[in-house]
Amino acid sequence: MIPGARVVLLGRQGSGKGTQCTRLSRHFVAPHISTGDMLRAAVREGTELGRLAREIIDAGGLVGDDIMVGIVDERLQRDDAQIRGYILDGFPRTVFQAESLDRIAGDKPLHVAIDLDVPRAMVLDRLSRRRVCRDCGTNYQSTGSDPRPWLCDTCGGDVVQRDDDTPEAINRRLDLYESQTQPLIEFYGRTRRLERVDGVGTPDEVFARLTGTIEKRR
Ligand code: AMP
């Protein structure tokens, strides 16, 4: 049997974290648990949580720790996570959440927290060139000589730049990420569970580094 894995993946917007989480989830047959995706689903479904989360997400704030810990606790108690582990993406965001994770993970503790490291200038460039299909969300990279009109290869929808992908907004999000994440890096460093993985390279190269690091720690 393939052993599972219990991982927290930290990484800037544009670091390729989302793509790598999907691949790691398949590789280790462990659920990819993205709190951002869970909140966006709640917003779409119009649940009570979704109504509360919507304004906070739009304002770029953080949903309260107690709510987030409750959501993740419930998710981690499900059979798939109990048996196979978890690839956590977007959680923890605060040291309180990280300490709570240690408590709720109980006898299934984290193997490793990985900081997927891509230089800021590189993600800034990637995010500035990012274009997205308005209908299905497929991502593209602008080369400077883009088709006009630009239609999505997947669904034929319009490919556009997101309103929040301007350099100012991107810089603001990256600053926020750094100030939020630094205490987590210190927390996992102090408790000797942190590994830094070089996120520069092809997706296959980065994936091989990630699996190697997880296997070494498991
Ligand atoms: P993400 O897709 O991870 O960037 O998350 C989108 C938004 O959801 C964030 O900007 C926060 O407003 C909210 N969010 C996601 N995860 C958390 C968390 N662990 N704690 C607090 N807020 C969160």
Side-chain angles (χ1 to χ4, degrees):
M1 195 177 79
I2 312 161
R6 301 191 291 271
V7 179
V8 163
L9 199 58
L10 306 169
R12 292 190 170 98
Q13 296 88 339
S15 64
K17 177 167 61 100
T19 311
Q20 295 294 342
C21 279
T22 306
R23 291 184 68 166
L24 290 171
S25 166
R26 282 200 203 113
H27 181 85
F28 291 107
V29 200
H32 170 203
I33 301 177
S34 157
T35 46
D37 284 350
M38 289 164 91
L39 293 173
R40 280 183 289 272
V43 170
R44 270 198 309 277
E45 287 158 17
T47 63
E48 199 181 324
L49 169 68
R51 279 195 293 277
L52 180 139
R54 169 174 238 142
E55 283 180 26
I56 299 174
I57 294 175
D58 286 349
L62 287 182
V63 176
D65 281 342
D66 289 341
I67 293 175
M68 294 312 301
V69 170
I71 294 173
V72 173
D73 188 7
E74 196 177 286
R75 183 65 189 85
L76 292 187
Q77 301 316 319
R78 285 208 225 142
D79 282 351
D80 58 349
Q82 286 294 314
I83 295 167
R84 303 298 315 172
Y86 43 84
I87 312 293
L88 275 172
D89 173 8
F91 185 95
R93 283 279 223 288
T94 63
V95 172
F96 180 88
Q97 292 180 9
E99 287 169 344
S100 304
L101 174 62
D102 287 341
R103 182 171 48 77
I104 61 187
D107 61 354
K108 303 276 183 343
L110 189 64
H111 291 125
V112 62
I114 296 178
D115 179 19
L116 185 61
D117 190 24
V118 177
R120 181 165 170 140
M122 198 174 281
V123 298
L124 191 59
D125 177 62
R126 262 190 215 165
L127 291 173
S128 312
R129 287 190 293 116
R130 176 164 71 181
R131 300 292 182 272
V132 53
C133 170
R134 217 199 289 268
D135 291 339
C136 75
T138 300
N139 276 317
Y140 296 89
Q141 287 283 308
S142 162
T143 57
S145 55
D146 304 326
R148 271 161 210 255
W150 192 347
L151 299 179
C152 176
D153 294 336
T154 309
C155 78
D158 283 326
V159 175
V160 297
Q161 182 164 35
R162 276 170 37 171
D163 290 342
D164 59 347
D165 275 350
T166 62
E168 301 74 40
I170 293 167
N171 266 309
R172 225 178 12 250
R173 295 208 304 273
L174 290 173
D175 285 345
L176 190 67
Y177 173 81
E178 263 153 53
S179 60
Q180 282 172 1
T181 310
Q182 197 49 41
L184 292 174
I185 304 252
E186 284 162 21
F187 174 78
Y188 285 121
R190 235 180 7 253
T191 52
R192 304 198 173 285
R193 290 172 294 176
L194 183 73
E195 292 275 0
R196 181 157 285 142
V197 168
D198 181 4
V200 180
T202 66
D204 285 345
E205 284 163 357
V206 175
F207 181 66
R209 286 178 208 140
L210 287 169
T211 52
T213 301
I214 293 166
E215 276 153 16
K216 187 178 77 189
R217 282 284 192 149
R218 193 174 49 189

